[in-house]
Amino acid sequence: MTRTTPPRPVDIEAVFPALARHRRTTTRLHPRQGTAKPEDSSVAGPLLWPADEPWPVCTSVHPKAKGHLLSDVRLRRRVQDEARGRDFTDEERRLLDGMTRRRHVPGLCDEDPLPMLAVAQLYVRDVPDLVGPEGPDLLQVFWCPFEVHGPERSIDVELRWRRAADVGAVLAPQPEPPVAGREECVPTSCVLHPEQVVEHEYLGLLGEDLQDEIAEWEEDLLDEVDEVDDEGAYDSSPPANHATYEEYEAAMAAARAQEPEEIDYMSDLSIAPGWKAGGFASWHLTDPRPMGCPACGTPMPPLLTVATVECDGASRSWLPVEDRDAADDPRVIDPVGVYLGRGLMRIHTCPTDPTHPHRLSFQ
Ligand SMILES: [Zn+2]
Ligand SMILES: [Zn+2]
């Protein structure tokens, strides 16, 4: 099934033509749980990985005895998924209890190299906003599931670009780390439904005049909403006007449906939520941070955004049409189960030379 972002509630470039210069496309990936094939774009594999090529490993020392078994992480998610909306059965409780006691792999030392986790595989043909080096048409993303690398003590991400046509026999089975430092570093396998949408630059990175004009416009919109609310209050003197409470409630629901929605630039008109390739970076938790290339200084846009939620209350207008009836289903809202930073992790790459070292930013 495809996923379709509803049209933005306002054509913001018609209101502010200057925003046309701050427009960019992004490809929303719309991950949903499922198992892809190596020939597909996916989250958490399997990858189109050559049988004769070594799998990336992390050689850092980690407290691996304290890690969570990947098999337990997956089992826990499955049990929780199946028990949604009801209490756990005794059998499920027994399974979950067993997991908290099993926390290590016998014989695995802190110094042992750990296969990296296959996180995402994106074909350029599926993801138009994926910008990489000349030649390759496939990006493979890995990370180590322990978050204590380098001076920033963060997650370690590895990118591999390749030409799909160069891959002969595909490696099977594919390695994975037996343990993860934190459960929320482990992505659940997902198929993707890429969709290209338009974004506009983060509010705080627009010129000050434009920011002020947008703020003023938003306030006017709010006033309109308030006026309609007041009229609604005037009408709502019933139930005297209505024969029954049912009629009264129906009338109120109809009035609510006619109210203008609350629209704001940041939530509805600027940056799409969820996993995506390309587009703009949101800096809602920190001030905007320059992401210059470590090799040549060129400002680096986000290549890939890894998000905990595909959609929340504030970004509700981005919920795909196909998911409207499932807006509280965790498999729609948080299909991947990954939580990095405070909900967002971005991989930035150099537009001048995508093989220059990448950088990460978090929100
Ligand atoms: Zn590591
Ligand atoms: Zn560079």
Side-chain angles (χ1 to χ4, degrees):
M1 203 209 299
T2 53
R3 289 295 185 286
T4 316
T5 300
R8 296 302 76 216
V10 169
D11 176 1
I12 195 63
E13 285 186 25
V15 184
F16 300 105
L19 276 175
R21 290 197 307 277
H22 303 281
R23 178 205 307 144
R24 207 180 266 173
T25 54
T26 188
T27 307
R28 300 186 71 187
L29 299 177
H30 296 307
R32 296 292 182 271
Q33 290 172 15
T35 309
K37 294 196 279 296
E39 298 76 27
D40 301 328
S41 293
S42 64
V43 161
L47 305 185
L48 190 79
W49 190 266
D52 57 358
E53 193 172 312
W55 190 264
V57 293
C58 174
T59 53
S60 299
V61 176
H62 296 307
K64 289 168 190 150
K66 289 194 182 139
H68 298 265
L69 289 177
L70 253 68
S71 51
D72 279 355
V73 174
R74 292 189 181 121
L75 182 58
R76 188 196 316 278
R77 287 180 186 174
R78 207 175 63 232
V79 168
Q80 284 169 343
D81 229 28
E82 282 166 9
R84 203 164 71 85
R86 62 164 170 80
D87 291 337
F88 291 121
T89 62
D90 289 346
E91 169 68 9
E92 285 166 347
R93 250 182 245 290
R94 197 183 55 74
L95 275 171
L96 294 170
D97 286 351
M99 281 174 223
T100 50
R101 286 194 296 274
R102 279 196 303 272
R103 302 243 318 174
H104 69 283
V105 179
L108 182 68
C109 301
D110 291 354
E111 297 77 19
D112 289 344
L114 206 62
M116 292 182 95
L117 264 175
V119 172
Q121 159 164 290
L122 304 176
Y123 286 86
V124 171
R125 59 155 204 257
D126 298 332
V127 185
D129 293 295
L130 192 64
V131 179
E134 201 80 15
D137 55 2
L138 171 59
L139 169 68
Q140 294 168 327
V141 182
F142 299 83
W143 65 49
C144 169
F146 286 84
E147 295 167 288
V148 283
H149 307 85
E152 288 174 14
R153 314 276 295 164
S154 71
I155 197 149
D156 186 27
V157 172
E158 188 155 337
L159 305 179
R160 297 289 180 95
W161 289 96
R162 66 171 73 247
R163 274 163 45 95
D166 293 345
V167 179
V170 175
L171 182 66
Q174 303 196 342
E176 64 173 18
V179 289
R182 198 162 57 84
E183 291 190 54
E184 293 84 357
C185 291
V186 182
T188 293
S189 293
C190 285
V191 296
L192 302 182
H193 307 87
E195 179 204 17
Q196 192 175 44
V197 299
V198 169
E199 291 187 332
H200 293 95
E201 176 62 288
Y202 180 68
L203 184 67
L205 288 171
L206 297 172
E208 270 179 39
D209 288 351
L210 192 48
Q211 287 186 45
D212 291 346
E213 286 169 35
I214 291 173
E216 220 169 278
W217 173 80
E218 285 176 338
E219 272 180 33
D220 289 349
L221 276 183
L222 269 184
D223 289 347
E224 280 174 36
V225 172
D226 288 346
E227 275 167 32
V228 173
D229 280 352
D230 291 347
E231 285 166 26
Y234 179 74
D235 275 341
S236 67
S237 45
N241 288 356
H242 299 277
T244 64
Y245 273 101
E246 285 72 22
E247 270 181 39
Y248 165 63
E249 278 184 4
M252 290 307 289
R256 273 196 299 275
Q258 279 165 16
E259 281 174 18
E261 294 167 73
E262 286 192 29
I263 298 167
D264 79 77
Y265 179 80
M266 288 263 277
S267 304
D268 306 306
L269 305 167
S270 172
I271 296 175
W275 284 63
K276 61 175 196 168
F280 289 105
S282 170
W283 299 97
H284 52 280
L285 293 184
T286 65
D287 283 335
R289 213 166 271 171
M291 296 299 293
C293 170
C296 72
T298 308
M300 298 198 294
L303 171 78
L304 179 66
T305 298
V306 169
T308 298
V309 292
E310 285 297 302
C311 192
D312 61 11
S315 59
R316 182 75 172 217
S317 74
W318 298 88
L319 182 74
V321 174
E322 294 81 358
D323 294 323
R324 273 198 182 141
D325 295 335
D328 61 346
D329 187 335
R331 288 164 302 184
V332 167
I333 301 305
D334 175 19
V336 183
V338 161
Y339 190 99
L340 301 176
R342 288 171 67 191
L344 274 186
M345 190 270 279
R346 294 176 293 242
I347 306 165
H348 299 252
T349 49
C350 178
T352 306
D353 184 345
T355 63
H356 285 169
H358 64 261
R359 284 178 66 185
L360 305 179
S361 70
F362 297 89
Q363 288 288 288

Short mmCIF file of all heavy atoms in Angstrom, two decimals, residues 70 79 112 127 133 157 163 184 201 203 209-211 228 258 260 264 276 283 291 297 299 312 327 343 356:
data_model
loop_
_atom_site.label_atom_id
_atom_site.label_comp_id
_atom_site.label_asym_id
_atom_site.label_seq_id
_atom_site.Cartn_x
_atom_site.Cartn_y
_atom_site.Cartn_z
N LEU A 70 19.37 -9.52 21.47
CA LEU A 70 18.49 -9.07 20.38
C LEU A 70 17.25 -9.95 20.27
O LEU A 70 16.15 -9.46 19.99
CB LEU A 70 19.25 -9.07 19.04
CG LEU A 70 19.59 -7.67 18.55
CD1 LEU A 70 20.63 -7.03 19.46
CD2 LEU A 70 20.08 -7.68 17.11
N VAL A 79 5.50 -9.86 21.99
CA VAL A 79 4.54 -10.15 23.07
C VAL A 79 3.71 -8.89 23.36
O VAL A 79 2.49 -8.95 23.48
CB VAL A 79 5.30 -10.62 24.34
CG1 VAL A 79 4.37 -10.65 25.55
CG2 VAL A 79 5.92 -12.00 24.10
N ASP A 112 35.59 -8.16 22.34
CA ASP A 112 35.31 -8.86 21.08
C ASP A 112 34.66 -7.93 20.07
O ASP A 112 33.77 -7.15 20.42
CB ASP A 112 34.35 -10.04 21.34
CG ASP A 112 35.02 -11.17 22.09
OD1 ASP A 112 36.28 -11.19 22.13
OD2 ASP A 112 34.31 -12.03 22.65
N VAL A 127 14.07 6.33 -3.60
CA VAL A 127 14.19 7.47 -2.68
C VAL A 127 14.84 8.63 -3.44
O VAL A 127 16.05 8.82 -3.41
CB VAL A 127 15.05 7.08 -1.45
CG1 VAL A 127 15.09 8.20 -0.42
CG2 VAL A 127 14.53 5.80 -0.81
N PRO A 133 27.38 9.68 -3.79
CA PRO A 133 28.45 9.85 -4.77
C PRO A 133 28.00 9.40 -6.16
O PRO A 133 27.05 8.62 -6.29
CB PRO A 133 29.58 8.96 -4.23
CG PRO A 133 28.98 8.12 -3.16
CD PRO A 133 27.68 8.70 -2.74
N VAL A 157 27.80 5.40 13.48
CA VAL A 157 27.07 5.07 12.26
C VAL A 157 28.05 4.84 11.13
O VAL A 157 29.04 5.55 10.99
CB VAL A 157 26.11 6.23 11.89
CG1 VAL A 157 25.48 6.00 10.52
CG2 VAL A 157 25.03 6.40 12.95
N ARG A 163 27.02 -0.10 -5.96
CA ARG A 163 26.20 -0.30 -7.15
C ARG A 163 25.53 -1.66 -7.02
O ARG A 163 26.21 -2.69 -6.93
CB ARG A 163 27.07 -0.27 -8.41
CG ARG A 163 27.33 1.12 -8.98
CD ARG A 163 28.51 1.11 -9.93
NE ARG A 163 28.43 -0.04 -10.85
CZ ARG A 163 27.91 0.00 -12.07
NH1 ARG A 163 27.44 1.15 -12.53
NH2 ARG A 163 27.86 -1.07 -12.84
N GLU A 184 16.39 0.39 22.65
CA GLU A 184 15.90 1.36 21.67
C GLU A 184 16.92 1.65 20.57
O GLU A 184 16.73 2.54 19.76
CB GLU A 184 15.47 2.65 22.35
CG GLU A 184 14.25 2.49 23.23
CD GLU A 184 14.59 1.98 24.63
OE1 GLU A 184 15.79 1.70 24.88
OE2 GLU A 184 13.69 1.85 25.46
N GLU A 201 12.17 25.60 5.06
CA GLU A 201 13.25 25.72 6.04
C GLU A 201 12.73 25.92 7.47
O GLU A 201 11.66 26.51 7.69
CB GLU A 201 14.14 26.90 5.62
CG GLU A 201 15.28 27.26 6.55
CD GLU A 201 16.31 26.14 6.72
OE1 GLU A 201 15.99 25.12 7.39
OE2 GLU A 201 17.43 26.30 6.20
N LEU A 203 11.96 27.36 10.92
CA LEU A 203 11.56 28.75 11.18
C LEU A 203 12.75 29.62 11.63
O LEU A 203 12.97 30.71 11.10
CB LEU A 203 10.45 28.79 12.24
CG LEU A 203 9.87 30.16 12.54
CD1 LEU A 203 9.11 30.71 11.34
CD2 LEU A 203 8.94 30.10 13.76
N ASP A 209 12.84 39.12 9.32
CA ASP A 209 11.61 39.76 8.85
C ASP A 209 10.56 38.70 8.52
O ASP A 209 9.39 38.82 8.91
CB ASP A 209 11.87 40.63 7.62
CG ASP A 209 12.66 41.88 7.99
OD1 ASP A 209 12.82 42.13 9.20
OD2 ASP A 209 13.12 42.58 7.07
N LEU A 210 11.00 37.70 7.80
CA LEU A 210 10.08 36.64 7.40
C LEU A 210 9.54 35.90 8.63
O LEU A 210 8.34 35.59 8.71
CB LEU A 210 10.81 35.68 6.44
CG LEU A 210 9.98 34.66 5.67
CD1 LEU A 210 8.77 35.29 5.00
CD2 LEU A 210 10.86 33.95 4.62
N GLN A 211 10.42 35.66 9.60
CA GLN A 211 9.96 35.02 10.84
C GLN A 211 8.88 35.85 11.51
O GLN A 211 7.86 35.31 11.97
CB GLN A 211 11.13 34.86 11.83
CG GLN A 211 12.12 33.80 11.46
CD GLN A 211 13.16 33.60 12.56
OE1 GLN A 211 12.84 33.54 13.74
NE2 GLN A 211 14.42 33.50 12.18
N VAL A 228 -14.52 32.11 15.90
CA VAL A 228 -15.47 31.04 15.60
C VAL A 228 -15.88 30.32 16.88
O VAL A 228 -17.04 30.01 17.09
CB VAL A 228 -14.89 30.05 14.56
CG1 VAL A 228 -15.81 28.86 14.39
CG2 VAL A 228 -14.70 30.77 13.23
N GLN A 258 -16.83 22.58 11.33
CA GLN A 258 -16.70 23.75 10.48
C GLN A 258 -15.63 24.74 10.97
O GLN A 258 -15.30 25.69 10.29
CB GLN A 258 -18.04 24.48 10.38
CG GLN A 258 -18.95 23.81 9.36
CD GLN A 258 -20.39 24.27 9.49
OE1 GLN A 258 -20.66 25.27 10.13
NE2 GLN A 258 -21.28 23.53 8.87
N PRO A 260 -12.20 26.49 11.64
CA PRO A 260 -10.91 26.41 10.98
C PRO A 260 -9.93 25.66 11.88
O PRO A 260 -9.99 25.80 13.10
CB PRO A 260 -10.50 27.88 10.81
CG PRO A 260 -11.37 28.66 11.72
CD PRO A 260 -12.59 27.84 12.01
N ASP A 264 -0.09 25.92 12.31
CA ASP A 264 1.09 26.75 12.51
C ASP A 264 2.23 26.25 11.63
O ASP A 264 2.27 25.10 11.20
CB ASP A 264 1.45 26.92 13.99
CG ASP A 264 2.17 25.75 14.58
OD1 ASP A 264 3.37 25.61 14.32
OD2 ASP A 264 1.51 24.97 15.30
N LYS A 276 13.01 9.96 7.14
CA LYS A 276 13.00 10.59 5.83
C LYS A 276 14.41 10.75 5.30
O LYS A 276 15.38 10.72 6.06
CB LYS A 276 12.31 11.96 5.90
CG LYS A 276 13.01 12.92 6.83
CD LYS A 276 12.40 14.32 6.81
CE LYS A 276 13.38 15.30 7.44
NZ LYS A 276 13.03 16.70 7.23
N TRP A 283 15.30 22.07 14.45
CA TRP A 283 16.16 22.34 15.62
C TRP A 283 15.30 22.77 16.81
O TRP A 283 15.67 23.67 17.55
CB TRP A 283 17.18 23.42 15.27
CG TRP A 283 18.08 23.02 14.14
CD1 TRP A 283 17.93 23.35 12.82
CD2 TRP A 283 19.26 22.22 14.22
NE1 TRP A 283 18.94 22.78 12.08
CE2 TRP A 283 19.78 22.09 12.90
CE3 TRP A 283 19.94 21.58 15.27
CZ2 TRP A 283 20.93 21.35 12.62
CZ3 TRP A 283 21.09 20.85 14.97
CH2 TRP A 283 21.57 20.74 13.66
N MET A 291 26.31 22.57 10.61
CA MET A 291 26.83 21.22 10.41
C MET A 291 27.78 21.26 9.21
O MET A 291 27.45 20.83 8.10
CB MET A 291 25.67 20.24 10.15
CG MET A 291 24.70 20.08 11.31
SD MET A 291 25.46 19.44 12.83
CE MET A 291 25.91 17.79 12.35
N GLY A 297 34.34 21.89 4.99
CA GLY A 297 33.62 23.02 5.57
C GLY A 297 32.27 23.31 4.95
O GLY A 297 31.53 24.14 5.47
N PRO A 299 28.44 23.43 4.30
CA PRO A 299 27.30 23.07 5.15
C PRO A 299 26.66 21.76 4.67
O PRO A 299 26.45 21.57 3.48
CB PRO A 299 26.33 24.25 4.96
CG PRO A 299 27.17 25.38 4.48
CD PRO A 299 28.30 24.76 3.68
N ASP A 312 3.01 12.87 15.66
CA ASP A 312 2.48 13.03 17.02
C ASP A 312 1.37 14.07 16.98
O ASP A 312 0.95 14.50 15.90
CB ASP A 312 3.61 13.40 18.00
CG ASP A 312 4.27 14.72 17.64
OD1 ASP A 312 3.73 15.45 16.78
OD2 ASP A 312 5.32 15.03 18.22
N ALA A 327 -4.51 5.95 13.88
CA ALA A 327 -3.62 6.99 14.38
C ALA A 327 -3.11 6.74 15.79
O ALA A 327 -2.20 7.40 16.25
CB ALA A 327 -4.31 8.35 14.31
N GLY A 343 14.75 11.71 20.50
CA GLY A 343 13.70 11.31 19.56
C GLY A 343 14.11 11.42 18.10
O GLY A 343 13.45 10.85 17.24
N HIS A 356 33.07 12.37 1.89
CA HIS A 356 33.68 13.00 3.07
C HIS A 356 33.00 12.46 4.33
O HIS A 356 31.85 12.02 4.27
CB HIS A 356 33.53 14.52 3.00
CG HIS A 356 34.46 15.18 2.02
ND1 HIS A 356 34.36 16.49 1.63
CD2 HIS A 356 35.53 14.69 1.33
CE1 HIS A 356 35.32 16.78 0.76
NE2 HIS A 356 36.03 15.70 0.55
#
